[in-house]
Amino acid sequence: MSILPSGGPRLLLRQLREVMAEGAGGQARLDKIVRMIAANMVAEVCSIYLVTEADVLELFATEGLNPGAVHKTRLKMGEGLVGMIAETASPLNLSDAASHPKFAYRPETGEDPYRSLLGVPVLRAGRTLGVLVVQNRTHRHYTEDEVEALEIIATVLAEVIASGEFSVEDSLAFRRRMGPVHLHASGLADGIAVGEAVLHEPRIEIRQIIAEDVEAETGRLEAAISDLRASVDRMLHEIEFNVGSESRDVLEAYRMFAHDRGWLRRLREAVVTGLTAEAAVERVQNETRARMLRSRDPYWRERLHDLEDLANRLLRHLTGDVETAAQAALPENAIIIARSMGGAELLDYDRKRVKGVVVEDGTPVSHVAIIARALDIPMVGRAERALERVEPGDLVALDGETGELHFRPSPEIVKVFDEKLALRAQRRAQFHALRDEPAVTLDGTEIALNINAGLLVDLPNLSETGADGIGLFRTELQFMVAPTMPRLAAQAELYKRVLDEAGPRPVTFRTLDLGGDKILPYAPQRLESNPALGWRALRIGLDRPALMRYQLRALLRAAGGRELRVMFPMVAEVAEFVAARELLHKEMARAQARGQPLPVMLKVGVMIEVPSIVWQLDQLLPICDFVSVGSNDLMQFFFAVDRSNPRLTDRYDLLSPPLLKMLHQLVLKCETLGVPIGLCGEMAGRPLEAMALVGIGFRAISMPPASVGPVKLMVRSLHAGELQTVMEGLYDLPDHSVRAQLAAFAAERNIPI
Ligand code: PEP
Ligand code: MG
């Protein structure tokens, strides 16, 4: 005897639709649903368990078991067969349930007589909402078709539960299920934020689950699949000429899935059973997700991201929802949640409304983190499975310093965060009071504190922080946020406004530092296996001198009659600097020949971020006006550690003897040859690291604007000479890091770090 209903799942789905159309309360509807499934599937028992609190499954409705057990029988995730189905997110098909080692007997349910059991998870968007079970008295093995039928019903149930189709008590239960979640993520941009979750890639709402007309649904699915294939092919074609946000690998994976017979067959079958095309995509995706997550092969787990994206694209083709989160109306206090995000994508958002950012990957020196700090938006990264645990509109609290992240926090936690916010406001006021005070150590050493900038929105920070100048103006940011390549006039206009705003304070413009992870959506891209070591920054500038000369022309035009400071990124050898400077001289000569006003003073500098140049200082320093250490890249190349790989973030420490020793030797060399040296990597923005830099001998550093206050406070409490002596004893230690020694030095002297 089959438990399949005589009319197949379609009949059952039709009946389900009728039940849902009735105006009955949630519990009554659930009771009806289990009765209906049991009757139609010739099962003696049908039960629904829902996850009510973090990791607890509660019996919500049953036909066949003791009704008194409803809302009483509870199992932890992983406990008993039901808990196991929920935990593994996969079906369980047993002809003799009681003999399974996981079987947990619950006398109150009266399930003794039932031998066989088929249970399927109720899944939605990668989460287990509950478990749907049927049981029979006889020893029987349910067929594949029967498993499939129950899974389809579970898909419908999942949508019903999630869309709040149940009445208050059930949706309350659903919300309880989505109880508070606390994650220890990594702090990427300092600050506290409490706000409303906005998904960077919005989930697509499925409005109708059960098909009215199967033929029509099949037609919609086929049309959407062919649109999808065409769009993937188009993207692949375009990538030959243009940079897209997707790399070729990802697109190739898309194409593979878009033509995968198994995937397409399952989609078609799901529609034939009576689901709408959208619900079919969701259902097949749930099943595939569960299967891929069980796979131990990291390749498959990685591919899951691609398949999820593809399924989302297919849903977009079906629903016509094309708006991105950045284009949609944002709440006043949005916290953007993303799997991963590029710097330019963050800049797409309305900055005033974005109060925080959460990414599942991310490192402190990834560009999105740098931009978050530049915009003073608190951000946390490495938030594991964040997207699975949050719903749009959920309350989110995050601490960008400690990495604490809360979804749906309790009022007590919100209070703690509000207090933190108030404390920060107080500290800000304290920093603000220091704004016009000099950054001078207790023993009278002046330290120039500059800010890093790159966009017009950064400029007010100069006066707000009381910084001495702009130590690093990342000119590529203008290129990254523009829809097309900024023209000469637009470049010159930006530089001019920067210089106007800065007034007497020096601004160091860095020429375009593109490539690596700084990609332009409109420029040609060559795929590289090691982009960080690839065709980037000055390498592009020297190979494409027209691009570089345009920028230099714009800088000269903006700085006519004023001082101009230009520095070149990623200089690996003196010859590169000489070639770059030559282009600048050509532009100077051109401007002069045209009678344009020239800068009254021109200073040309070099970023020290590729280790090789450190061994050519004797040749470099006599011919350049200043150098600035780019500690983000220098660290990356020094330790051979990809700055954008979250797995390696904690592997090496900036405060390690070899790195500090190299910096120290660099400073000594610059002192000997009389060339000013600064540092403009993220390292300068953290008070303890900044303290070490002062100890090494740096007298000018450049940092994210929000760091100026805390660093100034540190400087003003420090005895630089004493630290310098202490540090002499640290350079040659065999230690992994001297962080502890430096922190102890600060603690003993009450230096705020
Ligand atoms: C650096 O590498 O330290 C730096 C300041 O430049 P960017 O972070 O823009 O590469
Ligand atoms: Mg760099």
Side-chain angles (χ1 to χ4, degrees):
M1 181 175 55
S2 164
I3 62 161
L4 265 186
S6 43
R10 248 153 94 172
L11 175 68
L12 214 127
L13 287 183
R14 184 146 22 95
Q15 290 173 334
L16 259 178
R17 189 171 60 206
E18 278 158 21
V19 174
M20 277 161 9
E22 290 168 12
Q27 182 67 48
R29 257 196 280 181
L30 269 190
D31 292 343
K32 263 199 178 159
I33 290 173
V34 286
R35 227 173 298 140
M36 197 184 69
I37 298 172
N40 281 275
M41 295 194 127
V42 199
E44 281 114 12
V45 174
C46 176
S47 314
I48 293 172
Y49 295 81
L50 294 181
V51 185
T52 55
E53 285 157 31
D55 295 348
V56 174
L57 286 144
E58 181 176 310
L59 179 64
F60 255 68
T62 185
E63 170 69 7
L65 296 185
N66 181 0
V70 171
H71 296 304
K72 294 216 173 60
T73 295
R74 292 197 181 89
L75 295 148
K76 289 206 203 73
M77 215 37 127
E79 184 188 357
L81 299 176
V82 168
M84 183 177 151
I85 294 164
E87 192 177 59
T88 58
S90 46
L92 196 59
N93 181 355
L94 299 171
S95 56
D96 186 7
S99 68
H100 192 282
K102 270 282 191 180
F103 181 76
Y105 178 57
R106 288 300 164 90
E108 76 274 12
T109 60
E111 64 182 326
D112 318 43
Y114 306 108
R115 292 225 157 82
S116 43
L117 174 145
L118 170 61
V120 296
V122 179
L123 300 169
R124 186 172 182 274
R127 277 192 305 261
T128 302
L129 305 188
V131 174
L132 176 62
V133 180
V134 291
Q135 290 172 274
N136 282 77
R137 277 174 204 272
T138 50
H139 279 293
R140 50 161 300 119
H141 195 82
Y142 303 98
T143 66
E144 279 295 306
D145 283 350
E146 289 162 343
V147 178
E148 171 95 17
L150 205 62
E151 281 183 330
I152 288 171
I153 294 164
T155 303
V156 177
L157 258 183
E159 290 302 324
V160 172
I161 294 166
S163 64
E165 285 223 25
F166 286 142
S167 68
V168 188
E169 76 251 34
D170 304 296
S171 51
L172 256 184
F174 179 65
R175 255 184 279 136
R176 251 195 298 138
R177 184 198 71 72
M178 296 280 291
V181 170
H182 177 196
L183 294 177
H184 300 280
S186 304
L188 297 187
D190 202 0
I192 305 289
V194 178
E196 197 177 307
V198 171
L199 303 191
H200 179 51
E201 281 168 348
R203 282 186 202 132
I204 289 131
E205 277 305 312
I206 298 179
R207 294 175 195 98
Q208 200 181 339
I209 308 153
I210 302 173
E212 307 267 345
D213 175 349
V214 173
E215 301 285 290
E217 285 308 309
T218 307
R220 288 182 63 230
L221 179 71
E222 295 299 338
I225 289 172
S226 90
D227 282 358
L228 175 75
R229 283 178 175 172
S231 78
V232 171
D233 286 346
R234 211 170 34 245
M235 284 190 286
L236 262 166
H237 178 69
E238 278 168 7
I239 205 170
E240 307 285 347
F241 307 101
N242 289 305
V243 178
S245 50
E246 301 89 352
S247 70
R248 170 169 281 278
D249 280 0
V250 173
L251 287 174
E252 289 288 5
Y254 284 1
R255 176 147 74 179
M256 182 182 88
F257 288 126
H259 289 266
D260 180 84
R261 291 228 201 106
W263 189 58
L264 299 172
R265 180 179 43 77
R266 280 181 288 136
L267 287 173
R268 289 179 182 128
E269 281 171 4
V271 168
V272 171
T273 58
L275 294 178
T276 58
E278 293 89 326
V281 176
E282 172 77 15
R283 170 177 141 52
V284 170
Q285 193 52 20
N286 276 332
E287 193 187 286
T288 316
R289 189 183 292 121
R291 209 156 8 101
M292 283 172 127
L293 284 175
R294 281 199 303 277
S295 161
R296 279 168 200 273
D297 185 343
Y299 175 80
W300 281 112
R301 296 178 67 103
E302 196 49 46
R303 291 281 75 83
L304 177 60
H305 281 337
D306 301 336
L307 189 54
E308 300 262 20
D309 286 344
L310 193 73
N312 257 329
R313 278 171 198 271
L314 187 53
L315 283 176
R316 274 185 221 284
H317 280 285
L318 283 164
T319 56
D321 286 345
V322 283
E323 210 175 41
T324 65
Q327 291 160 340
L330 280 185
E332 294 278 340
N333 54 351
I335 310 264
I336 312 295
I337 321 265
R339 181 166 292 138
S340 73
M341 203 195 258
E345 288 175 287
L346 177 55
L347 287 163
D348 277 346
Y349 283 94
D350 176 354
R351 183 193 171 194
K352 282 191 231 64
R353 288 171 182 260
V354 176
K355 299 292 180 238
V357 178
V358 176
V359 291
E360 289 188 351
D361 60 6
T363 69
V365 282
S366 58
H367 282 98
V368 64
I370 289 175
I371 288 173
R373 281 194 290 275
L375 301 178
D376 202 13
I377 300 175
M379 173 172 180
V380 300
R382 287 200 279 168
E384 257 190 55
R385 293 168 43 226
L387 280 170
E388 282 177 30
R389 303 166 192 233
V390 71
E391 287 284 326
D394 278 355
L395 190 64
V396 180
L398 66 91
D399 182 332
E401 186 183 357
T402 62
E404 294 303 302
L405 171 63
H406 295 265
F407 293 142
R408 299 169 296 278
S410 64
E412 294 76 43
I413 297 282
V414 175
K415 196 160 158 258
V416 171
F417 272 74
D418 284 345
E419 279 160 12
K420 282 191 190 197
L421 266 170
L423 210 70
R424 287 210 160 228
Q426 242 176 42
R427 274 182 62 200
R428 282 208 173 201
Q430 195 186 357
F431 296 144
H432 195 73
L434 274 185
R435 195 184 65 162
D436 300 322
E437 300 296 323
V440 180
T441 62
L442 295 175
D443 51 342
T445 306
E446 241 180 87
I447 312 290
L449 302 185
N450 299 302
I451 57 166
N452 298 343
L455 295 169
L456 275 182
V457 291
D458 296 328
L459 296 184
N461 290 324
L462 206 46
S463 48
E464 270 166 35
T465 57
D468 293 300
I470 298 180
L472 167 65
F473 191 87
R474 290 184 163 102
T475 58
E476 62 279 4
L477 294 191
Q478 183 191 20
F479 284 66
M480 287 163 71
V481 298
T484 54
M485 185 85 80
R487 296 190 170 273
L488 180 76
Q491 295 180 42
E493 174 63 20
L494 172 67
Y495 306 150
K496 186 172 168 306
R497 287 179 68 178
V498 173
L499 290 170
D500 289 348
E501 177 82 22
R505 289 167 291 203
V507 178
T508 303
F509 290 97
R510 175 176 70 184
T511 62
L512 283 178
D513 185 8
L514 292 166
D517 61 343
K518 294 177 197 166
I519 305 172
L520 301 182
Y522 46 81
Q525 180 200 299
R526 277 170 190 73
L527 286 148
E528 301 181 307
S529 45
N530 285 306
L533 305 179
W535 196 57
R536 47 174 294 208
L538 189 58
R539 298 163 187 187
I540 300 180
L542 293 177
D543 291 352
R544 295 283 179 272
L547 179 72
M548 175 105 135
R549 284 187 64 170
Y550 250 58
Q551 182 178 32
L552 295 170
R553 200 173 295 171
L555 282 165
L556 288 169
R557 194 180 285 181
R562 315 192 241 201
E563 176 179 338
L564 176 63
R565 293 170 61 86
V566 179
M567 71 177 170
F568 299 108
M570 287 280 291
V571 173
E573 53 171 6
V574 169
E576 285 178 339
F577 171 65
V578 171
R581 199 184 45 174
E582 183 58 30
L583 295 178
L584 180 58
H585 287 161
K586 277 191 181 153
E587 281 305 316
M588 289 272 282
R590 184 181 181 276
Q592 197 164 24
R594 286 165 187 248
Q596 284 169 11
L598 292 177
V600 289
M601 175 128 64
L602 178 66
K603 300 266 188 206
V604 191
V606 169
M607 282 196 80
I608 306 285
E609 49 184 354
V610 182
S612 56
I613 198 68
V614 179
W615 280 269
Q616 236 182 357
L617 293 174
D618 285 323
Q619 293 71 35
L620 176 73
L621 296 181
I623 58 168
C624 72
D625 297 313
F626 65 95
V627 296
S628 182
V629 177
S631 54
N632 305 336
D633 276 312
L634 187 61
M635 172 82 182
Q636 150 162 284
F637 301 130
F638 189 71
F639 277 113
V641 56
D642 181 349
R643 66 191 268 187
S644 61
N645 186 339
R647 292 178 83 167
L648 299 171
T649 304
D650 302 326
R651 182 119 204 146
Y652 305 101
D653 196 348
L654 279 162
L655 299 180
S656 68
L659 192 81
L660 298 182
K661 185 171 176 179
M662 175 171 66
L663 292 177
H664 183 53
Q665 287 176 352
L666 198 55
V667 168
L668 291 180
K669 189 63 143 186
C670 287
E671 270 173 16
T672 310
L673 296 184
V675 176
I677 179 169
L679 185 142
C680 60
E682 300 306 297
M683 180 178 189
R686 290 192 291 271
L688 182 65
E689 277 81 346
M691 185 187 89
L693 292 175
V694 174
I696 286 170
F698 281 92
R699 298 296 173 254
I701 50 181
S702 191
M703 63 200 74
S707 295
V708 173
V711 170
K712 193 186 274 186
L713 205 58
M714 175 280 293
V715 166
R716 291 170 60 86
S717 328
L718 173 71
H719 199 288
E722 187 191 4
L723 175 62
Q724 214 139 349
T725 313
V726 168
M727 287 198 64
E728 291 291 345
L730 302 178
Y731 296 126
D732 288 314
L733 290 179
D735 302 26
H736 163 72
S737 163
V738 292
R739 184 170 293 276
Q741 292 91 317
L742 290 169
F745 174 90
E748 283 156 18
R749 290 159 186 80
N750 275 331
I751 300 169
I753 49 165

